[in-house]
Amino acid sequence: KFCGERLCKALAAQCARRGGPSFVCVRIGWCQPGDNSALTLNASGTPTLAASDTDAAENEGDADSLRDVALLNQWYRSMWLSNRDFTHIFSRALVAALPAERGGFLLTHGMSANSGMRWDLTESKEVLGYQPKDDVQAE
């Protein structure tokens, strides 16, 4: 991830000097294949492979494992990017006219408007015009 972002930034700088295209790197949040429903989000990444809290407790045999599973699930839920918002941020990134002071490059987060998330979507909203519609807590 880090190397790809650096490479993209270097290419953007070269293209900007030549009047070429700009580059937008979107750090994609958490998505599942298919329907990507907030109701089936979990740390495994796929609804069919979800580990239940009970399974974790049986495997580890203590309350700490239950807490770890709950924290992981909360972390991934806060990063959720719905299919609708995924489509919206990428369609905005494809047509983005980046300001010259950005040097033809933008690195931004791609998540839905999840209540209590730790990531800032200000640049996505201001520079790309991204307006996420979904919230993992509202689903």
Side-chain angles (χ1 to χ4, degrees):
K1 175 186 91 146
F2 182 74
C3 290
E5 291 169 357
R6 294 290 179 176
L7 177 61
C8 191
K9 187 174 184 176
L11 287 171
Q14 283 188 353
C15 287
R17 285 192 291 273
R18 298 178 186 160
S22 57
F23 291 73
V24 177
C25 287
V26 179
R27 288 182 172 167
I28 301 169
W30 195 250
C31 300
Q32 302 172 99
D35 290 336
N36 191 23
S37 169
L39 300 174
T40 58
L41 280 175
N42 61 76
S44 75
T46 61
T48 57
L49 297 178
S52 72
D53 292 349
T54 306
D55 292 341
E58 289 172 1
N59 291 337
E60 298 296 326
D62 61 30
D64 286 341
S65 63
L66 283 174
R67 187 179 67 246
D68 291 346
V69 168
L71 287 173
L72 274 174
N73 284 334
Q74 180 183 5
W75 177 261
Y76 288 111
R77 288 178 61 80
S78 69
M79 287 193 302
W80 181 55
L81 178 61
S82 71
N83 289 348
R84 173 171 56 172
D85 290 338
F86 184 100
T87 302
H88 180 56
I89 194 164
F90 277 94
S91 44
R92 298 303 306 157
L94 286 171
V95 298
L98 299 182
E101 64 269 10
R102 292 201 164 272
F105 180 74
L106 174 66
L107 173 62
T108 192
H109 297 290
M111 284 119 184
S112 291
N114 302 317
S115 301
M117 77 170 150
R118 299 176 181 187
W119 295 272
D120 185 5
L121 298 179
T122 302
E123 282 192 321
S124 302
K125 292 175 179 178
E126 291 178 356
V127 178
L128 299 179
Y130 173 55
Q131 293 300 319
K133 303 287 185 221
D134 298 312
D135 181 344
V136 72
Q137 302 300 333
E139 297 294 312

